[in-house]
């Protein structure tokens, strides 16, 4: 992927007055954070987070009420209350924020700011996945009601590997005393610094002004930013969205799969429908061993692991004629060979007749949680192997989006460390 946008255009990142928790008003900073809204396993994870602290950010990003309208109103009311009570407070100076995550030898650093919005065709911010309209509608309602960006997207850009420009500022700032430091229950240690010095701000924004970025995580929120921008009658704060930008030349991201749980399809029915179209063989558990078998099989082509009834079944070697018939031919061959493409076009649509709707399919990042949910609901867990990052970037450069929820880049920023108000 090239590092610059078309015709000299690039990323325009500006400082903002970050909304942050006042440590003295909450039990701990760790107790008020959350994973991104779409990673929270519901209802178990949601209940756990709500009980961790009465001010946990999940009460804003996933409010609980009977209707979408009531949920959005509740989130807006909660945010207003927390601001009035001094639980959240706006930093006095506009800043960019250097953010670090660290665990078990893994270190990731990037810069958080308000990024000027641009459509995909501008070639500045490149999406690589399709989005689900109902999720964008849901996020738009929440963002509109709260008038806030509650959690940053994760964007990546490939720097030159040298400690100049933004990279130099990030490393220099990370040697200073942070604004906050906390360790969340997943073992990640988080630190945040404010960058307000004009020279440092200029070095960061000048460097990024010649670059383009890939959306690593947050396609639905980016689409939401664009939808809400289109509703405005003139220039203003809705022309920008909260993002974390990570230079992958300095800090390569990890790529994981996102699994599917088919709520209404029992494992026996799923396997029966595959007869004659795929090779299906049972593999030994436990889950870790079965996932190793999946990884080995994925090296040779399309591979899925099906479970939910206590057994594990490796699904490989699709019938080439079936693939030719069911997968669209107007896309690059790399796209046609993706596991997610074959899963949705051939398995879900053609063999299983499962529509891609929330009441039918749950998208879950955690492998064990997917299996547990399938066993509890009598459904089928379809476990995936992650796609290689270079495939993602190459398709994005061609303007080709992958099937939605194809990848999970990480580590993802914790939600709740810094928010952005739009009014």
């Amino acid at each position: 992927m090239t590092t610059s946008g078309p015709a000299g255009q690039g990323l325009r990142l500006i400082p903002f007055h970050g909304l942050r928790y006042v440590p003295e008003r909450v039990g701990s900073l760790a107790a008020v954070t959350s994973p991104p809204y779409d990673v929270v396993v519901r209802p178990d994870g949601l209940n756990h987070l709500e009980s961790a602290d009465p001010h946990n950010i999940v009460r804003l990003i996933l409010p609980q009420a009977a209707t979408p309208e009531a949920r959005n109103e509740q989130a807006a009311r909660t945010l207003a209350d927390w601001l009035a009570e001094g639980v959240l407070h706006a930093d006095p100076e506009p800043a960019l924020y250097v953010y670090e995550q660290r665990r078990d030898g893994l270190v990731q650093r990037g810069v958080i700011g308000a990024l000027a919005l641009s459509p995909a065709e501008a070639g500045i911010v490149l999406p690589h996945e399709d989005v689900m309209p109902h999720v964008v509608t849901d996020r738009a309602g929440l963002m509109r009601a709260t008038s806030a960006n509650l959690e940053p997207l994760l964007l990546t850009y490939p720097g030159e590997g040298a400690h100049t420009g933004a990279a130099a500022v990030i490393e220099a700032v990370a040697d200073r005393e942070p604004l906050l430091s906390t360790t969340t229950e997943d073992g990640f240690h988080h630190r945040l610094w404010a960058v307000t010095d004009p020279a440092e701000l200029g070095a960061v924004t000048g460097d990024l002004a010649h670059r383009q970025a890939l959306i690593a995580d947050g396609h639905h929120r980016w689409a939401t930013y664009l939808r809400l921008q289109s509703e405005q009658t003139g220039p203003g704060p809705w022309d920008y969205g909260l993002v974390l930008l990570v230079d992958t030349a300095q800090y390569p991201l990890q790529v994981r799969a996102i699994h599917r749980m088919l709520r209404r399809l029992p494992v026996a029915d799923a396997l029966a429908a595959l007869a004659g179209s795929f090779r299906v063989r049972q593999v030994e558990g436990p889950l870790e061993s079965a996932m190793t078998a999946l990884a080995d099989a994925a090296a040779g082509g399309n591979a899925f692991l099906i479970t939910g009834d206590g057994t594990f079944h490796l699904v490989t070697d699709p019938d080439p004629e079936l693939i030719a018939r069911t997968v669209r031919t107007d896309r690059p061959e790399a796209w046609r060979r993706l596991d997610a493409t074959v899963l949705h076009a051939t398995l879900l649509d053609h063999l299983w007749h499962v529509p891609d709707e929330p009441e039918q399919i749950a998208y879950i990042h955690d492998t064990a949680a997917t299996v547990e949910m399938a066993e509890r609901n009598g459904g089928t867990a379809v476990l995936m192997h992650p796609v290689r990052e270079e495939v993602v970037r190459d398709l994005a450069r061609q303007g080709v989006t992958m099937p939605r929820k194809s990848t999970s880049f990480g580590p993802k920023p914790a939600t709740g460390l810094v928010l952005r108000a739009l009014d």
Side-chain angles (χ1 to χ4, degrees):
M1 177 183 290
T2 59
T3 59
S4 62
Q9 298 178 353
L11 303 169
R12 185 181 173 211
L13 193 72
I14 65 170
F16 67 103
H17 295 271
L19 281 184
R20 297 189 296 112
Y21 280 98
V22 177
E24 296 77 18
R25 299 301 307 273
V26 297
S28 72
L29 288 175
V32 295
T33 64
S34 164
Y37 78 97
D38 58 337
V39 181
V40 176
V41 178
R42 288 167 268 191
D44 299 351
L46 184 58
N47 294 336
H48 173 71
L49 290 165
E50 284 189 332
S51 63
D53 188 283
H55 300 107
N56 188 283
I57 193 69
V58 78
R59 297 178 185 275
L60 298 182
I61 63 171
L62 291 172
Q64 299 304 292
T67 66
E69 293 76 15
R71 290 195 292 271
N72 297 335
E73 290 172 6
Q74 179 174 303
R77 189 165 55 249
T78 299
L79 177 58
D81 290 345
W82 290 357
L83 288 167
E85 296 163 5
V87 174
L88 288 168
H89 181 73
D91 285 334
E93 289 185 80
L96 298 177
Y97 296 85
V98 170
Y99 174 50
E100 177 191 270
Q101 295 160 278
R102 183 187 294 267
R103 184 180 72 179
D104 299 333
L106 169 68
V107 179
Q108 178 173 289
R109 291 179 184 145
V111 60
I112 296 175
L115 182 67
L117 305 181
S118 59
E121 53 268 25
I124 299 171
V125 175
L126 304 177
H128 72 267
E129 286 185 358
D130 295 329
V131 297
M132 293 176 271
H134 75 274
V135 177
V136 177
T137 297
D138 174 74
R139 292 294 100 185
L142 178 66
M143 212 174 290
R144 197 182 293 114
T146 57
S147 193
N149 298 154
L150 300 173
E151 45 187 339
L153 283 66
L154 175 59
L155 306 186
T156 70
Y157 67 95
E160 285 78 36
H163 281 228
T164 58
V169 173
I170 288 169
E171 298 308 305
V173 169
D175 286 334
R176 303 171 190 165
E177 189 70 21
L179 283 177
L180 64 85
S181 176
T182 189
T183 301
T184 45
E185 64 180 5
D186 59 5
F188 270 102
H189 185 63
H190 308 263
R191 295 196 296 171
L192 190 77
W193 298 261
V195 180
T196 57
D197 177 78
E200 290 183 328
L201 290 173
V204 173
T205 57
D207 184 8
L208 295 176
H210 305 287
R211 302 190 183 277
Q212 65 180 178
L214 176 76
I215 301 177
D217 185 70
H219 285 81
H220 288 92
R221 281 165 282 165
W222 183 258
T224 299
Y225 290 167
L226 293 172
R227 178 183 293 189
L228 294 176
Q229 180 192 37
S230 72
E231 298 174 359
Q232 309 308 308
T233 57
W238 294 94
D239 294 326
Y240 298 81
L242 185 63
V243 304
L244 165 64
L245 277 160
V246 174
D247 175 0
T248 51
Q250 301 285 345
Y251 301 103
L253 267 65
Q254 299 173 328
V255 188
R256 294 188 172 92
I258 302 176
H259 310 295
R260 276 70 167 159
M261 199 285 284
L262 313 182
R263 303 178 189 274
R264 300 177 184 176
L265 182 68
V267 171
D269 293 350
L271 295 174
L274 300 179
S277 299
F278 284 79
R279 181 188 179 199
V280 181
R281 57 190 172 95
Q282 189 168 336
V283 295
E284 294 297 318
L287 178 59
E288 184 177 348
S289 298
M291 291 300 290
T292 299
L294 173 63
D296 292 342
N302 296 122
F304 312 93
L305 188 66
I306 289 180
T307 187
D309 62 353
T311 61
F312 298 96
H313 303 270
L314 194 59
V315 177
T316 60
D317 301 294
D319 174 14
E321 189 279 330
L322 177 64
I323 298 298
R325 247 187 325 116
T326 56
V327 176
R328 57 192 293 181
T329 58
D330 60 344
R331 295 291 179 93
E333 190 62 24
W335 183 90
R336 300 187 75 248
R337 293 197 306 265
L338 290 170
D339 285 341
T341 298
V342 173
L343 172 63
H344 282 263
T346 306
L347 291 168
L348 290 171
D349 291 352
H350 184 75
L351 295 178
W352 289 337
H353 307 291
V354 175
D356 193 357
E357 299 169 350
E359 59 271 18
Q360 296 278 354
I361 304 176
Y363 291 85
I364 306 172
H365 294 72
D366 183 82
T367 308
T370 310
V371 176
E372 180 187 349
M373 190 175 293
E375 292 176 344
R376 191 167 63 224
N377 289 275
T380 293
V382 182
L383 305 180
M384 312 278 286
H385 185 71
V387 64
R388 300 192 316 278
E389 182 177 359
E390 56 265 30
V391 173
V392 177
R393 290 187 178 277
D394 185 57
L395 288 173
R397 188 178 63 240
Q398 297 177 58
V400 177
T401 54
M402 300 168 64
R404 48 189 172 243
K405 299 295 182 183
S406 293
T407 58
S408 175
F409 283 87
K412 304 177 192 303
T415 298
L417 297 179
V418 61
L419 292 62
R420 174 177 174 254
L422 288 130
D423 54 14

